[in-house]
């Protein structure tokens, strides 16, 4: 970290401050500008088209990072952040609080499109109309991008005070409130109570019951309602964080795959069984693969009345065997993505359609490239605003065997 050395190189301003014309959006909520010495500057707290005074926070031989601390020429998309802590040097949880919600979605569409074209080799024409879709309001405030976060891990200082991490840092910003979090978690004392002797505490709320149960460090299983069913999710098990996400994603997966009664389906990275349930209710016989023992047990419990076989194990180990003879596949891996070998194994099994649900456009792009090379084509790409105020975005890619293969 060398703000001062940058200041020496910068003819424009001393003290590690740069005046910058902000060009375009990058990933992670950063925008790109060109520094006075020609190096790329990744700038937070700004928007394309703005002129800002930015404080350098990191300097490498190839690029700089900086926070916009003074807005010289504001974008029409700029708004006052709803959260007091969303500013340079304070809480690093949100990236886009200073951006209107429609513009947040436009920026995320642009960043997603860029990654899929550049890293995935996806045809630009197919993504020309990509929009990041707004989720329906489930809890009050969701329409403003607030009160949607049903899981939070707070960091605890030595004096017991809880807070959230600063951007790219282990430092803890004590906070009294977090407006993107559901009220039930605030009511459980996440931010106002002291937690002596702890380093972190994890809170999770039932996604469909704002006033409902909050699990603290997984002290009880949570019940979530989605697609007209009830799902049990035990300690450490995955469930979507935005309360509207399970219904929206399950509907989008069904809409994309168009399952027919009697088809054989495979649900990889199945978690507590959301997509398996949707496909089984649509008449498919499903095999679900999930390696977390607790989630595989939850899935068996949640899907006991349906034609679903749950296999506990790693996708990499089971994909070749379980994909054989399948008509349909849904995969919903963690941020790291499924990986090229998994996509190649799926393509070799020739299902008539694959739905890839992804929370990271970068790893999705890498895996799409492998699927395209293995004889599949991308027939649709949808994106959803599951994480308003942050730079994160959820994608659903639909793949079908290409005519030529
Ligand atoms: C993003 S979650 C998706 C869960 C589920 N599809 C849903 O919608 O709730 C990813 C899941 O994959 C599981 N997982 C991660 N790596 C895995 C692997 N290599 N093999 C099998 N499951 C894995 C995690 O335990 C987690 O439950």
């Amino acid at each position: 970290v060398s703000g001062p050395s940058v200041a020496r190189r910068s003819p424009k301003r001393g003290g590690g401050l740069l005046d910058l014309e902000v060009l375009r959006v990058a990933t992670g909520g950063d925008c790109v500008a060109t520094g006075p010495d020609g190096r790329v500057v990744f700038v937070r707290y700004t928007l394309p088209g703005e002129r800002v005074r930015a404080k350098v926070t990191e300097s490498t031989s190839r690029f700089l990072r900086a926070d916009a601390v003074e807005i010289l020429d504001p974008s029409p998309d700029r708004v006052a952040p709803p959260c007091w802590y969303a500013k340079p040097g304070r809480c690093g949880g949100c990236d886009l609080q200073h951006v209107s919600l429609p513009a947040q979605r436009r920026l995320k569409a642009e960043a997603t499109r860029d990654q899929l074209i550049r890293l995935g080799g996806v045809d630009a024409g197919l993504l020309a109309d990509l929009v990041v879709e707004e989720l329906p309001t489930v809890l009050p405030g969701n329409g403003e991008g607030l009160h949607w976060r049903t899981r939070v891990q707070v960091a605890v200082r030595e004096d017991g005070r809880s807070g959230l991490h600063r951007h790219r840092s282990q430092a803890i910003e004590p906070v009294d409130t977090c407006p993107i979090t559901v009220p039930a978690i605030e009511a459980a004392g996440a931010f106002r109570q002291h937690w002596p002797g702890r380093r972190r505490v994890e809170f999770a709320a039932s996604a469909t019951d704002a006033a409902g149960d909050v699990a603290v460090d997984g002290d009880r299983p949570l019940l979530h309602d989605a697609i007209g069913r009830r799902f049990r999710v035990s300690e450490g098990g995955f469930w979507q964080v935005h309360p509207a996400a399970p219904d929206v994603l399950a509907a989008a997966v069904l809409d994309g795959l168009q399952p027919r009664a009697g088809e054989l389906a495979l649900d990889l990275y199945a978690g507590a069984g959301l997509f398996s349930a949707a496909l089984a209710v649509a008449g498919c016989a499903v095999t679900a693969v999930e390696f977390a023992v607790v989630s595989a047990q939850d899935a068996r419990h949640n899907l006991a009345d349906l034609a679903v076989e749950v296999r506990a194990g790693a996708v990499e180990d089971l994909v070749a065997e379980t994909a054989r003879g399948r008509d349909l596949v849904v995969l919903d891996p963690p941020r790291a993505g499924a990986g090229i070998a998994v996509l190649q194994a799926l393509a070799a099994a020739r299902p008539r359609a694959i739905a890839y649900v992804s929370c990271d456009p970068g790893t999705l792009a890498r895996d799409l490239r492998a699927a395209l090379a293995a004889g599949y084509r991308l027939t649709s790409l949808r994106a959803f605003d599951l994480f308003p105020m942050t730079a994160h975005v959820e994608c659903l890619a639909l793949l079908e065997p290409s005519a030529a293969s």
Side-chain angles (χ1 to χ4, degrees):
V1 177
S2 58
S5 81
V6 169
R8 276 200 300 278
R9 291 184 208 187
S10 162
K12 247 180 170 174
R13 293 190 63 83
L17 291 175
L18 302 172
D19 286 358
L20 299 168
E21 312 266 348
V22 180
L23 303 172
R24 60 187 158 77
V25 67
T27 53
D30 290 337
C31 289
V32 175
T34 307
D37 62 2
R39 273 184 292 179
V40 168
V41 190
F42 294 107
V43 196
R44 276 173 76 75
Y45 305 104
T46 187
L47 276 159
E50 288 192 328
R51 218 161 49 77
V52 299
R53 192 151 294 156
K55 183 172 172 221
V56 175
T57 55
E58 187 184 334
S59 167
T60 76
S61 57
R62 289 185 303 118
F63 63 84
L64 307 172
R65 294 186 191 281
D67 287 344
V69 290
E70 200 179 325
I71 311 305
L72 306 173
D73 204 348
S75 159
D77 294 322
R78 177 171 283 278
V79 297
C83 176
W84 186 87
Y85 299 99
K87 51 178 80 143
R90 309 218 81 116
C91 178
C94 290
D95 313 293
L96 298 172
Q97 290 246 355
H98 60 286
V99 184
S100 76
L101 276 175
Q104 288 185 23
R105 291 191 280 268
R106 280 204 309 279
L107 291 180
K108 289 193 242 192
E110 210 175 306
T112 302
R113 201 183 298 122
D114 178 59
Q115 288 188 83
L116 293 177
I117 294 169
R118 207 163 32 82
L119 307 174
V122 173
D123 179 14
L126 214 114
L127 303 176
D129 300 326
L130 179 68
V131 292
V132 172
E133 301 173 38
E134 181 180 1
L135 265 56
T137 294
V138 172
L139 300 175
N142 287 172
E144 290 81 56
L146 305 175
H147 305 316
W148 53 266
R149 189 174 175 186
T150 59
R151 192 168 348 112
V152 159
Q153 191 182 76
V154 298
V156 183
R157 291 197 315 202
E158 274 185 10
D159 63 359
R161 180 85 165 80
S162 69
L164 296 166
H165 285 294
R166 301 204 176 117
H167 184 58
R168 298 171 68 83
S169 163
Q170 286 306 306
I172 298 170
E173 173 71 20
V175 303
D176 284 337
T177 179
C178 170
I180 63 169
T181 298
V182 294
I185 288 182
E186 299 225 11
F191 305 115
R192 287 176 185 267
Q193 202 170 310
H194 271 57
W195 301 90
R198 314 281 277 276
R199 292 192 59 202
R200 57 187 75 88
V201 188
E202 172 145 330
F203 298 83
S206 169
T208 36
D209 180 5
D213 231 5
V214 172
V216 181
D217 281 341
D219 59 357
R220 74 201 77 174
L222 285 172
L223 299 176
H224 302 285
D225 292 333
I227 62 167
R229 297 175 61 88
R230 178 150 286 188
F231 292 81
R232 181 186 83 188
V233 178
S234 301
E235 177 190 359
F238 177 90
W239 190 254
Q240 287 290 350
V241 169
H242 193 298
D247 277 339
V248 166
L249 292 178
V253 164
L254 291 184
D255 191 47
L257 292 178
Q258 294 288 316
R260 301 174 205 133
E263 284 192 309
L264 301 181
L266 178 62
D267 178 12
L268 299 178
Y269 311 92
L274 173 70
F275 298 129
S276 292
L279 288 163
V281 168
C284 296
V286 186
T287 297
V289 178
E290 165 60 49
F291 81 172
V293 173
V294 64
S295 295
Q297 283 167 350
D298 283 343
R300 283 196 190 103
H301 170 86
N302 295 331
L303 310 172
D305 60 323
L306 297 172
V308 180
E309 183 202 7
V310 179
R311 302 276 304 264
V315 165
E316 305 80 78
D317 298 336
L318 295 174
V319 63
E321 174 198 338
T322 54
R324 210 171 300 130
R326 298 289 152 174
D327 302 295
L328 303 172
V329 176
V330 54
L331 68 161
D332 181 14
R335 193 158 294 283
I340 291 169
V342 168
L343 269 293
Q344 287 172 338
L346 287 179
R350 306 309 284 170
R352 76 162 174 81
I354 300 173
Y356 190 144
V357 181
S358 159
C359 58
D360 185 327
T363 57
L364 173 65
R366 176 203 62 203
D367 291 350
L368 283 183
R369 186 180 277 282
L372 301 182
Y376 273 71
R377 70 191 175 91
L378 183 65
T379 55
S380 118
L381 193 287
R382 291 175 70 182
F384 301 93
D385 200 11
L386 258 53
F387 315 98
M389 305 292 169
T390 79
H392 295 286
V393 63
E394 189 90 357
C395 291
L396 169 62
L398 260 298
L399 293 158
E400 289 176 13
S402 53
S405 64

